[in-house]
Amino acid sequence: MQIECSNLHFTALNQQLKQIMDRDIILNGVLGQRLIASGLHGKNIEIHGIAGNGLGTYLNGCNITVYGNVQEATGDTMNSGEIVVHGSAGDVTGYAMRSGKIFIRDNVGYRCGIHMKAYRENKPAIVIGGRAGSFLGEYLAGGILILLGLHTDNQAIYGNFIATGMHGGKIVLRAKELPSAIPPHLQVEKIEKLEDRELIALITQWCAHFQYDKTKLLQDRYILLQVNDKNIYKQMYTSNL
């Protein structure tokens, strides 16, 4: 089913999405409508245009593909499902994600992955093709953030204050040099050869979504940031079960 959204208020749009029985839905002419697919499950949604704030908030198992950019708080408190963005995303992408995956072709704004968390088999992941703004992985408690740094025109691939307050999870940067100004409670590791199956799978999925040759990305060097085992706060905020 297709819905023309150019003159549709976000409340009316979301009401339709909840009531429609069709599993496959195409949204045309999206112009910043907020909270699209909030709390939905069991649908495949294709969006053409610019999705507004809170796309996929509390998402419970939908697959969402956006052919355009998305605004702030995409995947906020997302429980499961997948969001694929053929463009860039605004600030606080993946805020407090609990599980599911977000794939961004281009760039993200500030505070991507803030407060992401994981529990047992529930492990969220965000893969970013371009660069990230400041505070990437702020207060990260679980899950995986991968920053590929493609097409950044020699800019730094991330902004200031990366991993501030991080107490769990992993941040993976496609870079050769160790980053500076890393918080002292983190350990930094060079990955000369990518062997982690989970990381390989996520990068491979990103390449498949955006028709990018995975060969070079899987052969490149990476930097892994994770919490030092001596971090006294880790046991307070993360689960090792």
Side-chain angles (χ1 to χ4, degrees):
M1 179 174 183
Q2 298 195 32
I3 301 175
E4 177 53 50
C5 304
S6 55
N7 294 311
L8 198 58
H9 191 273
F10 80 91
T11 303
L13 171 58
N14 287 314
Q15 190 69 26
Q16 285 194 42
L17 288 176
K18 290 178 180 178
Q19 293 175 348
I20 290 170
M21 300 302 293
D22 298 58
R23 183 176 177 85
D24 299 316
I25 303 169
I26 298 174
L27 305 182
N28 294 314
V30 174
L31 294 171
Q33 285 91 342
R34 296 185 281 142
L35 302 172
I36 295 175
S38 177
L40 284 187
H41 66 278
K43 296 182 184 295
N44 301 311
I45 301 175
E46 185 177 298
I47 297 173
H48 296 267
I50 299 174
N53 293 352
L55 169 71
T57 296
Y58 305 114
L59 196 68
N60 248 336
C62 285
N63 295 313
I64 300 175
T65 302
V66 183
Y67 292 97
N69 297 327
V70 296
Q71 295 180 335
E72 277 66 53
T74 294
D76 183 343
T77 325
M78 179 174 167
N79 291 315
S80 63
E82 183 175 279
I83 299 175
V84 179
V85 178
H86 291 258
S88 293
D91 298 338
V92 292
T93 298
Y95 175 84
M97 274 181 75
R98 300 166 179 172
S99 192
K101 299 173 185 176
I102 299 177
F103 297 96
I104 308 292
R105 188 190 67 188
D106 299 329
N107 307 319
V108 295
Y110 291 173
R111 291 188 159 91
C112 177
I114 179 175
H115 283 303
M116 271 172 49
K117 59 205 72 176
Y119 182 67
R120 294 182 176 174
E121 72 278 3
N122 299 311
K123 184 182 292 185
I126 302 176
V127 185
I128 304 149
R131 71 183 306 272
S134 296
F135 296 100
L136 174 69
E138 185 180 28
Y139 306 127
L140 186 70
I144 300 173
L145 288 170
I146 301 177
L147 186 61
L148 298 176
L150 297 165
H151 314 303
T152 54
D153 298 325
N154 296 319
Q155 298 181 69
I157 67 172
Y158 57 88
N160 299 318
F161 311 115
I162 185 173
T164 299
M166 177 178 171
H167 43 267
K170 297 178 181 179
I171 298 178
V172 181
L173 311 170
R174 191 178 68 92
K176 297 178 182 178
E177 301 299 325
L178 295 175
S180 59
I182 295 298
H185 67 286
L186 299 183
Q187 63 184 34
V188 183
E189 177 186 344
K190 281 187 175 182
I191 302 176
E192 298 291 340
K193 183 179 180 181
L194 202 58
E195 296 180 334
D196 186 304
R197 292 183 179 180
E198 192 170 35
L199 298 182
I200 291 172
L202 287 167
I203 293 171
T204 299
Q205 288 174 61
W206 184 93
C207 291
H209 282 305
F210 304 116
Q211 291 79 54
Y212 196 92
D213 185 0
K214 68 180 182 180
T215 306
K216 185 177 187 304
L217 289 181
L218 294 179
Q219 292 176 346
D220 270 345
R221 298 176 183 173
Y222 289 81
I223 302 294
L224 170 63
L225 306 182
Q226 55 188 345
V227 175
N228 191 307
D229 289 338
K230 297 178 181 179
N231 176 25
I232 61 174
Y233 299 107
K234 180 178 180 180
Q235 62 181 343
M236 298 173 62
Y237 297 106
T238 62
S239 171
N240 295 317
L241 296 178

